[in-house]
Amino acid sequence: MFGVIDLPTYLAGLVLIVLLPGPNSLYVLSVAARQGVRAGYTAAAGVWCGDTVLMTLSAAGVASLLQANAVLFGIVKYAGAGYLTWLAVGMLRAARHMWRTRRLRVAPEAVPAAAAGPERPYRRALVISIFNPKAILFFVAFFVQFVDPGYAYPALSFVVLGAFAQLASFLYLSALIFSGTRLADAFRRSKRLSATATSAAGVLFLGFAVKLTLAAA
């Protein structure tokens, strides 16, 4: 169908890949838990646009260029790791503030608002998605296995595969967003829980940054 080979296998692999935890899904969940459904979908839109950019770059052969050019790969890799580290530091600073003020009598919404600040979820999620060279390499390595090399319109094959990928991402992130709103109620009831969750998110983002730094082309 449209130059796509073995679609059931692709869909099965896609589901497993989408379900793997990563900085994109964690950030969307964090935004939804702190700011609600609308902000969660704003962040998710950034992820979907970022994934679309990566798929387009992969189809255009940029992934092969990164694989062949170690210097270029290193620049993108360390830029992405630096951005994840910056986000992690911000989360940990917010968590420290929550721990210090957890015994004060403040409005439930005060701490989440202070932690979020002028966050711009769409832009942050977009940058997190794009500054991940391993994702670019993954897209081309995974997609190419399911494109018929003899098909006259390979771009159409990539569009079909990308559409399925975006649908799976939409369903998964939607589940995370509505789970996040439930977490938000718990966070508002317990400052200790909110501080713990923010601390854990910061540590995980540091882990993602380290993992990306150690990645090889």
Side-chain angles (χ1 to χ4, degrees), residues 54 83 113 142 149 153 158 160 216:
L54 294 184
Y83 188 71
F142 187 63
Y153 307 102
F158 275 95
V160 172

Side-chain angles (χ1 to χ4, degrees), residues 30-108:
S30 172
V31 169
R34 288 181 284 110
Q35 302 182 39
V37 171
R38 183 174 181 178
Y41 271 110
T42 300
V47 172
W48 298 324
C49 289
D51 286 347
T52 299
V53 171
L54 294 184
M55 293 175 198
T56 303
L57 293 176
S58 298
V62 173
S64 299
L65 177 62
L66 283 177
Q67 282 182 313
N69 192 320
V71 174
L72 181 59
F73 180 85
I75 292 173
V76 177
K77 177 176 70 172
Y78 289 114
Y83 188 71
L84 290 177
T85 300
W86 179 73
L87 289 179
V89 171
M91 291 179 180
L92 292 174
R93 290 179 62 186
R96 184 179 63 179
H97 174 75
M98 292 178 189
W99 283 113
R100 288 180 174 178
T101 61
R102 68 185 186 278
R103 298 183 185 280
L104 299 179
R105 293 180 177 274
V106 295

Side-chain angles (χ1 to χ4, degrees), residues 193-214:
L193 177 61
S194 181
T196 301
T198 304
S199 300
V203 171
L204 284 174
F205 265 76
L206 277 179
F208 290 135
V210 172
K211 182 178 179 181
L212 181 55
T213 301
L214 299 177

Side-chain angles (χ1 to χ4, degrees), residues 29 33 176 178-189 193:
L29 177 61
L176 290 182
F178 286 101
S179 297
T181 57
R182 295 190 184 93
L183 289 175
D185 293 334
F187 291 163
R188 281 190 285 268
R189 288 192 298 268
L193 177 61

